[in-house]
Amino acid sequence: MQPIQNIFPLLSEPKKVVITMHQKPDGDAMGSTLGLYHFLSKLGHQCTVISPTNWANFLNWMPGCNTVLDYESQGSKADILMADADWIFCLDFNILSRTKRMADKLLAAKGERILIDHHREPQTEVFTYGNSNIEKSSTSEMVFDFIVESGHIDMIEANIGACLYAGVMTDTGSFRFPSTKASVHKMVYELMERGLEHSHVHEELYDNFLESRFRFIGHALLNRLELFYEYNTALITVPQSDLIKFNVKTGDTEGLVNYALSIQGIKLAAVIIDRGEERKSSFRSKAGFDVNTFARTYFNGGGHFNAAGGFNKEPLEEVVLKFKAALKENKTALSTYQF
Ligand code: 5GP
Ligand code: MN
């Protein structure tokens, strides 16, 4: 993988560009891809954003979101664009399998794949150019760096600002995680200087949920939360019947794991959800417990040191047993928590 700076001289020639992200995109995946989409389109490139799957309704307000193709429902159109693209930007994921059914098509495409990502252990061999930096708060911050380093900071306007701000805000837990370095605040300063209205972004993302989501969260915290104090761990297990009963939509479960992590003394928080076709886990940790390794070792997943996820094919009860066995194996690391 060559440094991404090597494409800067090529940015002036119009190209056919596809920009994609991980499945079930979150704020950073959607914000970074749309931020890059607006920037490259302004430079004169012909761009399309493709999501491997659908996404949460609370992302729909983002400028340009109405142009994003959902591979699950618009696969044949997306296949043509991918096969024909000169450049395929891969944002906010480290391995092609995170694009699910799109992975084979991405690998077969003749265009050059370009990575911009902040997850650990990227599959560097499949990218011609790239920037992988686990120190970065978000892929959105890396897209901002890309725009600035390529000499185009003056092209940033309100739409780019809203997309990138949404990404960095959601991936930093509203600027609270240790990944929120001074560079993040500097970026926000630059975005605000160029028309960003930050309150609007907060309202769209956090004050826009349906009643059913709150009823679901209340139910999950009251009835599905287990605490394992000897391991400083909290677990929320969600059976598929809850998703049906509360009419839970894509994105409604996002943030649930953070409630568990906010309990005093909790070092590891987990949510395991039975999505029917698979069991999806989310892990969050505080201080020195590495959930990236935890998710990789036991749950076919990965992510970051303090936030990771995974998938299992086994039934829910088995995944929960696996989790409990994993707690035992990690007892030393989990029980020696320094407050
Ligand atoms: P979440 O729990 O919000 O789904 O994911 C937390 C973090 O871990 C995100 O940065 C996400 O991209 C990453 N992540 C989630 N699931 C997986 C997975 O199965 N594999 C890898 N490599 N990363 C994941
Ligand atoms: Mn991210």
Side-chain angles (χ1 to χ4, degrees):
M1 188 169 82
Q2 299 174 39
I4 201 156
Q5 286 77 4
N6 290 6
I7 73 163
F8 291 169
L10 311 173
L11 282 171
S12 53
E13 303 155 22
K15 300 239 179 335
K16 281 178 262 177
V17 176
V18 160
I19 307 169
T20 190
M21 57 193 119
H22 61 77
Q23 61 130 357
K24 299 284 174 190
D26 55 10
D28 187 35
M30 193 58 91
S32 60
T33 52
L34 285 175
L36 185 65
Y37 164 83
H38 290 299
F39 169 62
L40 293 177
S41 301
K42 273 169 157 282
L43 278 183
H45 302 285
Q46 192 186 318
C47 305
T48 310
V49 179
I50 305 173
S51 167
T53 63
N54 69 344
W55 54 88
N57 286 339
F58 63 75
L59 300 176
N60 283 337
W61 64 272
M62 280 193 199
C65 196
N66 57 342
T67 70
V68 178
L69 298 184
D70 172 355
Y71 193 72
E72 283 180 336
S73 58
Q74 294 161 290
S76 39
K77 195 172 170 189
D79 280 344
I80 295 168
L81 288 163
M82 277 193 282
D84 206 28
D86 302 310
W87 281 348
I88 301 181
F89 280 89
C90 296
L91 268 54
D92 204 35
F93 66 86
N94 51 353
I95 43 175
L96 293 183
S97 60
R98 297 227 58 221
T99 63
K100 286 205 136 178
R101 290 195 306 115
M102 267 173 67
D104 292 344
K105 299 285 167 58
L106 286 174
L107 200 57
K110 65 171 175 24
E112 277 155 340
R113 286 177 294 273
I114 305 166
L115 176 74
I116 304 181
D117 179 53
H118 65 141
H119 293 87
R120 279 162 195 264
E121 300 176 49
Q123 201 178 1
T124 45
E125 66 280 7
V126 301
F127 299 101
T128 313
Y129 305 100
N131 184 11
S132 163
N133 185 350
I134 62 163
E135 299 290 316
K136 283 286 167 182
S137 64
S138 56
T139 303
S140 296
E141 186 189 350
M142 299 175 78
V143 168
F144 175 79
D145 294 345
F146 178 83
I147 298 173
V148 175
E149 286 172 24
S150 64
H152 295 98
I153 192 169
D154 291 334
M155 291 183 73
I156 294 177
E157 39 60 63
N159 283 344
I160 294 179
C163 295
L164 298 184
Y165 184 81
V168 72
M169 178 180 89
T170 50
D171 254 29
T172 58
S174 299
F175 308 102
R176 59 177 282 205
F177 299 152
S179 62
T180 315
K181 305 275 159 46
S183 63
V184 170
H185 292 288
K186 255 191 192 157
M187 162 186 168
V188 173
Y189 167 83
E190 297 292 353
L191 298 181
M192 290 182 80
E193 285 283 293
R194 290 169 173 77
L196 165 69
E197 290 182 39
H198 69 283
S199 303
H200 167 69
V201 178
H202 285 260
E203 276 169 30
E204 290 285 5
L205 285 169
Y206 294 133
D207 299 344
N208 220 355
F209 293 111
L210 297 179
E211 178 187 343
S212 57
R213 177 176 182 267
F214 281 91
R215 302 285 178 201
F216 164 71
I217 288 174
H219 165 77
L221 296 181
L222 188 64
N223 302 309
R224 304 294 184 218
L225 170 69
E226 275 179 277
L227 288 155
F228 306 92
Y229 284 111
E230 55 179 319
Y231 300 105
N232 297 308
T233 293
L235 167 68
I236 299 175
T237 308
V238 181
Q240 205 187 3
S241 54
D242 285 357
L243 303 183
I244 296 164
K245 183 174 170 195
F246 291 91
N247 194 20
V248 172
K249 299 270 192 308
T250 302
D252 282 351
T253 53
E254 210 167 302
L256 185 57
V257 67
N258 294 325
Y259 289 98
L261 192 66
S262 67
I263 299 168
Q264 189 179 58
I266 292 305
K267 180 180 188 181
L268 168 65
V271 170
I272 305 176
I273 301 173
D274 188 351
R275 280 200 188 152
E277 73 273 23
E278 62 201 2
R279 265 46 64 201
K280 156 81 182 134
S281 317
S282 284
F283 305 105
R284 299 290 185 273
S285 65
K286 277 190 193 142
F289 189 73
D290 175 6
V291 285
N292 170 53
T293 304
F294 188 79
R296 271 174 199 277
T297 311
Y298 305 101
F299 300 93
N300 315 308
H304 311 282
F305 194 90
N306 292 124
F311 295 91
N312 289 75
K313 286 288 171 202
E314 301 93 319
L316 186 63
E317 301 70 37
E318 275 180 40
V319 182
V320 171
L321 287 176
K322 207 171 191 177
F323 179 77
K324 291 179 182 170
L327 290 187
K328 283 202 178 118
E329 282 185 29
N330 287 273
K331 181 161 186 182
T332 313
L334 287 166
S335 57
T336 54
Y337 186 30
Q338 299 296 313
F339 292 100

